[in-house]
Amino acid sequence: MKLQRKNRLRALSLGAIAVSGALALTACGSDDNGNNNAGGGKSSAPASAGSIKCDNAKGQLLADGSSAQKNAIDAWVKQFSQACGVQINYKGGGSGAGVTSFNQGQLAFAGSDSALKPEEVTASKQVCKGGEGIDLPMVGGPIALGYNVPGVDNLVLDAATTAKIFDSKIKYWDDAAIKSLNKGAKLPHLKIQAFHRSEDSGTTDNFTKYLIATTPANWKYSGGKAWQAQGGQAASGSAGVAQGVKQNSGAIGYFELSYAKDMNTVSIATGAKAPVKPSVESATADIAAAKVVGTGKDLSLKLDYATKAEGAYPITLVTYEIVCDKGNKADTLPATKAFLNYIASEDGQKLLSDNSYAPIPDEIIAKVRTTVAGLS
């Protein structure tokens, strides 16, 4: 169904928009942990009818993966489904679940906050006949550290202190290390409850990459999608971690910024003149320095987690849409290409900043559009 309104409206909520139903596009299974939006983003304005090219898209698409991008996907799905009549069910069960299901042939595409590993690319060749899975950077954003400490509204942490908190080395909010970064703040003698993801997560991977890059003496773990430190509280999905922080006094957790609605977030002392707050603008400043390190049609990026640039927020992530470069299933390829083409378009990327995400830099997103056009 074509959109009837041409003016941009602000009446579409990001609440549970994903279309439900029995979807049997490529297979019937999915790793769904039941996550729904917790933070939500700002309302998104509908795209004009002419800005979405359906290109013979039809039927249903099943996708899964990164919960960090789910609020963005929900906004995109609403616009695309109204314009093209295609049902898209994006589960948001976590990056690990998305990659696994994609390589089992269950999904049209997957979302992951970490680029495919070599062994995952190899596995994808069993599904992508004559091709392989590739990473298309589509969503950027800051990983916020949300916290719930009564009476403390402007908390500042550095990498070393953050690492000690999440490694259970700092146990109370009035610890001397936290006090030294927050002079004048009334920090209570309150036990810290540090929340982390319970399942394999690209958000965990990016958060720990920041700790490894900036304070290796205080974070001696190898990193990856699985949480490795001892102690703390585990919760499922970005929504679950955010909910845990909201509901528990003394809590702190990490999640994509759109889940931090109505919550205080930490400013990070990076070595720049002033601590940096997570925002679309501060994340964009960091992602703009990213370099493409993928080969062939793969567009995976290298981020600078140790940036000291003024106004650049260091704990950022880029979410990739994972799709076959060749060998996509014929019944889902038109809809998959049309959807990816829309979300990589100027209008699609504009929706990101409206919803607390950072658009992909122009030079990189131009390469994404060219790659999407060549999918087969």
Side-chain angles (χ1 to χ4, degrees), residues 76-270:
W76 282 329
V77 165
K78 180 66 174 179
Q79 306 306 326
F80 184 78
S81 294
Q82 285 182 328
C84 300
V86 175
Q87 288 184 313
I88 300 176
N89 187 0
Y90 183 82
K91 295 292 187 180
S95 297
V99 172
T100 297
S101 294
F102 179 80
N103 280 344
Q104 291 174 346
Q106 298 177 2
L107 308 176
F109 68 92
S112 177
D113 307 321
S114 300
L116 291 169
K117 296 178 180 179
E119 61 268 25
E120 292 170 336
V121 174
T122 299
S124 73
K125 294 179 181 180
Q126 299 299 314
V127 175
C128 305
K129 301 303 181 183
E132 63 185 25
I134 56 173
D135 301 288
L136 301 178
M138 207 71 79
V139 182
I143 300 173
L145 300 181
Y147 67 95
N148 180 357
V149 182
V152 181
D153 298 326
N154 296 294
L155 185 69
V156 175
L157 296 175
D158 60 12
T161 307
T162 300
K164 292 174 184 178
I165 286 173
F166 280 90
D167 200 22
S168 302
K169 300 293 175 57
I170 292 178
K171 301 181 181 297
Y172 289 90
W173 281 109
D174 60 351
D175 186 274
I178 302 176
K179 282 185 174 181
S180 68
L181 293 165
N182 295 273
K183 299 185 185 303
K186 296 181 179 179
L187 294 163
H189 186 66
L190 177 65
K191 188 173 178 61
I192 295 173
Q193 297 189 65
F195 278 81
H196 59 264
R197 292 283 287 273
S198 60
E199 79 282 14
D200 285 2
S201 160
T203 308
T204 293
D205 190 14
N206 284 274
F207 175 53
T208 56
K209 280 179 179 176
Y210 159 72
L211 297 177
I212 292 168
T214 54
T215 184
N218 295 298
W219 195 261
K220 299 182 179 181
Y221 302 99
S222 61
K225 293 179 182 178
W227 184 256
Q228 296 172 321
Q230 300 300 308
Q233 305 290 327
S236 179
S238 293
V241 175
Q243 194 67 16
V245 173
K246 288 181 180 180
Q247 292 179 345
N248 291 275
S249 181
I252 186 172
Y254 59 90
F255 32 79
E256 196 279 327
L257 183 60
S258 71
Y259 291 90
K261 185 178 180 181
D262 301 323
M263 189 187 306
N264 288 320
T265 56
V266 172
S267 295
I268 301 297
T270 64

Side-chain angles (χ1 to χ4, degrees), residues 41-87:
K42 297 179 182 177
S43 297
S44 57
S48 64
S51 70
I52 299 178
K53 297 180 180 179
C54 300
D55 293 332
N56 299 315
K58 59 183 178 180
Q60 303 166 334
L61 295 180
L62 183 62
D64 194 6
S66 165
S67 66
Q69 72 164 355
K70 189 174 189 304
N71 290 334
I73 290 287
D74 284 350
W76 282 329
V77 165
K78 180 66 174 179
Q79 306 306 326
F80 184 78
S81 294
Q82 285 182 328
C84 300
V86 175
Q87 288 184 313

